[in-house]
């Protein structure tokens, strides 16, 4: 787990006295994945901070008022970028997989767990 | 925006997170169990435990409780908590006669603005299936044994309705103020898989 100094090194991360706060579950998931990859040495913390900074700057330049509510959208975009740059995955793989989840969600009746079709996954995505 | 087809329609960011997560898990780069553990650490940080304040208010203010049972979304909004998609909240009151328990495996159906992140077990398919077939057995596993005379009702969240259980106020909590009462309200007691703490179970130092 990064310490407080690590977290404070990141641009304006939403925090309270006890640590980071999230608005929605997916934000916590994106946060947790980043920590996991960092802990495995896939990237350093300053490197991550740079990617995040870049995304936030880009968003500000294109008119994002940066009120904090879009913070994890930038976080997610930065995480996708760093994963692609580090060859952890590719932009195509991410797009295809997102599409597959969308299909899976749309074809799942309400109340059933959403699962990727195993056959589709093996056929289309496994290397 | 309501989804009339009753099929799940996940927001773009959720799909992207699921895409990345499933790819990383398949490559063995992240362990889903480790992610869950990490997320649990922050569980209480999502939509800070607003639900416990709603319950504590209902326990101490009978008028609020009536409003809450009549129109939960409006009553919860009085405390300043609102959902983002304007989904309807329904509050289910527990009594000696009826114990309510909520299930839904879709994280999008979980009332996280009041309850925070769903617990890991809540999302598991076996939990939902078993909760419907054998609610008493599931409750027992959570350490909750109810009298045979208490009817257990299981509620399945829908795309438009999210449930919050109003647990019974603990017997020995007379004279406690709202803030102290809120400390007794556990997340699980608001899903119906647990009971509120008794005052003796709360550590005296905050």
């Amino acid at each position: 787990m990064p310490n407080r100094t690590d977290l404070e090194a990141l641009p304006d991360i939403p925090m309270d006295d006890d640590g980071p706060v999230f608005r929605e579950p997916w934000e916590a998931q994106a946060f947790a994945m980043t920590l996991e990859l960092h802990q495995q040495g896939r990237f350093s913390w300053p490197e991550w901070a740079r990617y995040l900074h870049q995304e936030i700057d880009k968003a500000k330049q294109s008119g994002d008022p940066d009120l904090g509510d879009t913070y994890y959208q930038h976080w997610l975009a930065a995480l996708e970028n760093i994963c692609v740059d580090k060859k952890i995955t590719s932009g195509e793989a991410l797009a295809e997989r997102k599409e597959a989840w969308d299909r899976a969600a749309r074809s799942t009746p309400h109340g059933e767990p959403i699962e990727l079709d195993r056959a589709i996954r093996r056929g289309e995505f496994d290397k | 925006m309501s989804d009339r087809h009753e099929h799940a329609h996940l927001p773009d960011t959720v799909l992207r997170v699921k895409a990345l997560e499933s790819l990383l898990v398949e490559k063995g780069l992240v362990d889903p169990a480790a992610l869950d553990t990490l997320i649990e650490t922050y569980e209480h940080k999502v939509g800070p435990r607003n639900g416990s304040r709603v319950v504590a208010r209902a326990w101490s203010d009978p008028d609020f409780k009536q409003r809450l049972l009549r129109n939960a979304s409006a009553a919860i909004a009085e405390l300043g908590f609102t959902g983002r998609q304007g989904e309807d909240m329904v509050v289910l009151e527990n009594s000696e006669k009826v114990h309510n328990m909520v299930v839904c495996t879709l994280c999008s159906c979980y009332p996280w603005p009041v309850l925070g992140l769903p617990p890991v077990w809540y999302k598991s398919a076996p939990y939902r299936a078993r909760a419907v077939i054998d609610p008493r057995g599931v409750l027992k596993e959570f350490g909750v044994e109810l009298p045979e005379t208490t009817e257990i009702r299981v509620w399945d969240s829908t795309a438009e309705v999210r449930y919050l259980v109003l647990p019974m106020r603990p017997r020995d909590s007379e004279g406690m103020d709202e803030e102290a009462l809120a400390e007794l309200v556990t997340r699980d007691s608001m899903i119906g898989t647990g009971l509120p703490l008794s005052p003796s179970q709360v550590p005296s130092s905050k």
Side-chain angles (χ1 to χ4, degrees):
Chain A
M1 195 130 318
N3 59 35
R4 215 172 163 88
T5 325
D6 283 341
L7 289 175
E8 280 167 358
L10 300 176
D12 301 327
I13 183 167
M15 281 175 56
D16 66 8
D17 292 344
D18 298 327
V21 290
F22 306 99
R23 295 164 66 251
E24 301 187 23
W26 69 264
E27 298 184 346
Q29 275 151 3
F31 177 84
M33 280 193 282
T34 311
L35 253 52
E36 272 283 291
L37 291 171
H38 162 63
Q39 272 160 5
Q40 291 166 25
R42 297 277 157 177
F43 45 77
S44 71
W45 202 250
E47 214 172 1
W48 164 246
R50 209 166 57 236
Y51 271 81
L52 185 56
H53 256 297
Q54 233 166 40
E55 264 325 298
I56 292 174
D57 287 348
K58 213 163 75 188
K60 275 186 190 158
Q61 275 162 28
S62 55
D64 183 334
D66 195 29
L67 301 174
D69 54 340
T70 50
Y71 186 82
Y72 278 96
Q73 289 177 21
H74 309 325
W75 183 293
L76 178 58
L79 181 59
E80 287 167 341
N81 289 346
I82 204 169
C83 284
V84 169
D85 287 356
K86 297 281 173 190
K87 310 250 185 294
I88 293 169
T89 185
S90 68
E92 295 75 41
L94 284 172
E96 273 173 27
R97 183 54 64 91
K98 181 188 155 203
E99 170 61 31
W101 275 112
D102 194 24
R103 276 201 309 270
R106 285 170 195 277
S107 58
T108 304
H110 174 81
E112 303 284 320
I114 300 172
E115 279 165 1
L116 285 179
D117 180 80
R118 283 170 207 289
I120 291 176
R121 191 161 70 191
R122 254 198 306 276
E124 273 184 49
F125 300 112
D126 276 12
K127 285 187 180 164
Chain B
M1 269 188 291
S2 60
D3 182 359
R4 298 281 163 216
H5 303 290
E6 277 290 313
H7 283 249
H9 185 154
L10 302 178
D12 187 70
T13 44
V14 173
L15 289 171
R16 281 162 61 199
V17 166
K18 282 177 105 46
L20 188 56
E21 183 179 358
S22 58
L23 287 167
L24 294 176
V25 167
E26 279 165 30
K27 286 174 189 269
L29 292 176
V30 304
D31 169 9
L35 280 187
D36 283 341
T37 310
L38 191 55
I39 291 168
E40 287 216 313
T41 317
Y42 291 102
E43 211 166 74
H44 62 294
K45 305 308 298 177
V46 177
R49 300 285 303 287
N50 300 334
S52 57
R53 288 180 48 204
V54 174
V55 170
R57 173 70 59 89
W59 282 347
S60 38
D61 179 344
D63 290 341
F64 177 78
K65 182 173 141 186
Q66 287 315 312
R67 292 199 295 281
L68 186 66
L69 294 174
R70 233 184 0 249
N71 182 345
S73 301
I76 291 170
E78 283 176 38
L79 299 184
F81 314 134
T82 46
R84 288 204 329 142
Q85 290 108 9
E87 64 273 7
D88 277 328
M89 290 286 306
V90 169
V91 169
L92 308 163
E93 186 184 17
N94 282 353
S95 66
E96 301 285 353
K97 289 200 177 76
V98 178
H99 179 92
N100 298 287
M101 186 170 154
V102 185
V103 295
C104 183
T105 48
L106 292 176
C107 68
S108 57
C109 290
Y110 187 81
W112 48 261
V114 278
L115 288 184
L117 272 183
V120 170
W121 47 260
Y122 190 85
K123 292 182 280 184
S124 73
Y127 164 70
R128 181 177 180 277
R130 287 203 41 232
V132 176
I133 302 163
D134 178 24
R136 213 169 277 275
V138 169
L139 282 176
K140 212 168 180 171
E141 280 168 31
F142 284 107
V144 178
E145 283 202 63
L146 297 171
E148 283 298 320
T149 47
T150 303
E151 180 197 344
I152 301 175
R153 289 187 194 155
V154 178
W155 300 77
D156 192 352
S157 303
T158 72
E160 276 104 21
V161 182
R162 318 286 156 94
Y163 297 105
L164 178 72
V165 174
L166 175 58
M168 282 194 286
R169 179 170 173 165
R171 278 215 182 81
D172 43 358
S173 64
E174 287 81 21
M176 292 174 72
D177 64 14
E178 237 178 271
E179 199 183 327
L181 286 172
E183 302 274 316
L184 305 179
V185 185
T186 61
R187 178 196 59 199
D188 290 1
S189 72
M190 295 183 285
I191 308 174
T193 54
L195 301 176
L197 303 173
S198 77
S200 58
Q201 286 173 286
V202 177
S204 51
S205 63
K206 279 189 197 167

